[in-house]
Amino acid sequence: MVYLLLFYEFFKTGLFAIGGGLATLPFLYEIADKYTWFDEAMLSDMIAISESTPGPIGVNMATYAGYNAGAYVGGVPGGILGAFVATVGLITPSVIVILIVAQFLKRFKESRLVQDVFYTLRPAVTGLIACACFTTMSGSLFFPEAFGSFQQFSDVFNVFSLPAILLFAVLLFGILKFKKVHPVVFIAIAAVVGIVLQF
Amino acid sequence: MNQKAKLFDLFLTFARIGGLTFGGGYAMLPMLQKEVVENKKWATEEELLDYYAVGQCTPGVIAVNVATFIGQKLRGVIGGIVATLGVVAPSFVIILLLATLINHFAEYAVVAHALAGIRVAVAALIVSAIVKLWKKGIKDALGVVIFGVVVLLSLVLNVSPIIIVVIAMLFGILYGRVSGRKEGK
């Protein structure tokens, strides 16, 4: 029964992939290895699609992988069922764990131990988010791998993407200045600029 | 602070957040600050930070973890499930459409250019989100030091976030014991 297997495999992925969407990748490679549902080439397509559509990447991956696995045995209807089963499988363990942790936190919110833990945890997580931001930036504003081929001054334009940095500065100014504007407005502006200037 | 949030409102709000987030859990942060903290006042900046911290070291996708947390806080178990389904729904539908209709969506030049632009906006949005978090999460010199050490560990030494979170927690307990910080701070 492929759908039970799908649920089981993605439940396992959801349970053991700790720390966000890309942590699901090793598990997906394992699934690709073990079953004929999708292969590794399709996985890289999946990553591209997950990164270029809205929503959590891990969820996108589960939906897409589930669709391919289901469609492999049952065409389009099978694919839709597979997508559903895989997605629900992926999120079930984390929902259960969080519901338990949330109850626990609610009860012990004022306790000394929980207060102590979050006192140092907040700056640490802010640091982690800053690092994630830096990683996002390094792909679109500057290209660290080009540092190696740095030979003359004009190569500086291979390392830094000037239009992207300008856009970044203007957007950041706008975001900090016009606090009432919804973030999606800036995303839309950036998408248009990206198309017009051929980013 | 939170009047009973309607389940439908909870679902719609998280569907909106899920549908407008490009690039995973951290990219969702500016959307959450706007919708959940500023517009609906369902949670504070500090609580968001705490949810991210827990999401970092619990299984599953962080965006889902945060949605479950906020839903649970507002309407209990049902609320947690509804918010989670909301945050997942848009991407589920979009991926299904793409998988059935357009196979090589990501290869179109227009899509690639738009996404390159969007990534710049996401970076700028996360920077502004960090500015807000900094004000709430980092209150003293110790906080600045922890922030710096974490950036060093993560960016330079590539230490896994889970390990960093666990170390930070243990350090918090130790520091609390040693300094004898007052309860309820």
Side-chain angles (χ1 to χ4, degrees), chain A residues 3-186:
Chain A
Y3 299 106
L4 274 179
L5 262 182
L6 257 181
F7 184 85
Y8 167 74
E9 286 293 341
F10 279 91
F11 186 91
K12 219 168 65 183
T13 305
L15 185 61
F16 292 115
I18 295 176
L22 291 178
T24 59
L25 269 185
F27 295 93
L28 294 176
Y29 277 109
E30 200 191 304
I31 294 175
D33 225 32
K34 212 159 127 191
Y35 303 94
T36 48
W37 300 336
F38 47 84
D39 56 28
E40 288 182 10
M42 281 164 90
L43 258 182
S44 42
D45 279 358
M46 285 185 211
I47 297 169
I49 289 193
S50 300
E51 286 185 334
S52 41
T53 50
I57 290 174
V59 174
N60 292 343
M61 295 292 287
T63 307
Y64 196 74
Y67 176 84
N68 280 316
Y72 182 79
V73 290
V76 171
I80 294 173
L81 182 59
F84 181 77
V85 168
T87 308
V88 171
L90 180 86
I91 63 180
T92 302
S94 65
V95 169
I96 294 172
V97 170
I98 293 295
L99 286 178
I100 294 169
V101 173
Q103 295 290 354
F104 173 85
L105 273 186
K106 206 181 249 173
R107 188 172 309 167
F108 297 100
K109 208 176 164 187
E110 301 306 321
S111 91
R112 175 69 191 279
L113 190 70
V114 172
Q115 298 262 332
D116 282 347
V117 163
F118 279 111
Y119 185 72
T120 49
L121 202 46
R122 283 179 191 146
V125 171
T126 309
L128 283 176
I129 295 173
C131 294
C133 176
F134 181 80
T135 314
T136 313
M137 282 162 73
S138 73
S140 47
L141 300 186
F142 42 88
F143 313 100
E145 63 272 22
F147 275 115
S149 58
F150 202 91
Q151 274 159 0
Q152 58 199 67
F153 183 71
S154 63
D155 284 347
V156 84
F157 296 108
N158 299 335
V159 180
F160 298 99
S161 165
L162 218 49
I165 290 175
L166 273 178
L167 176 63
F168 176 83
V170 171
L171 284 173
L172 186 59
F173 177 78
I175 293 164
L176 294 174
K177 176 104 183 162
F178 305 105
K179 291 200 164 71
K180 292 266 174 263
V181 178
H182 197 283
V184 75
V185 174
F186 298 104

Side-chain angles (χ1 to χ4, degrees), chain B residues 87 94 127 169:
Chain B
V87 86
I94 291 168
V127 169
M169 290 170 88

Side-chain angles (χ1 to χ4, degrees), chain A residues 163 167 188-199, chain B residues 109-110 112-114 117:
Chain A
L167 176 63
I189 293 172
V192 173
V193 173
I195 294 171
V196 172
L197 296 184
Q198 308 256 308
F199 266 30
Chain B
V110 177
H113 292 316

Side-chain angles (χ1 to χ4, degrees), chain B residues 14-92:
Chain B
F14 274 93
R16 201 158 53 228
I17 294 169
L20 297 178
T21 299
F22 286 82
Y26 293 111
M28 204 171 83
L29 188 54
M31 297 292 173
L32 283 170
Q33 284 174 330
K34 187 82 203 168
E35 296 276 354
V36 174
V37 178
E38 286 167 30
N39 289 352
K40 305 279 183 187
K41 302 197 169 29
W42 285 343
T44 62
E45 299 272 355
E46 284 96 337
E47 282 172 321
L48 263 193
L49 252 183
D50 295 351
Y51 299 155
Y52 266 85
V54 175
Q56 201 73 246
C57 47
T58 50
V61 184
I62 292 183
V64 170
N65 294 344
V66 175
T68 313
F69 250 124
I70 295 170
Q72 198 275 347
K73 183 195 164 199
L74 295 171
R75 291 295 302 269
V77 173
I78 301 291
I81 293 170
V82 166
T84 306
L85 291 179
V87 86
V88 170
S91 51
F92 183 77

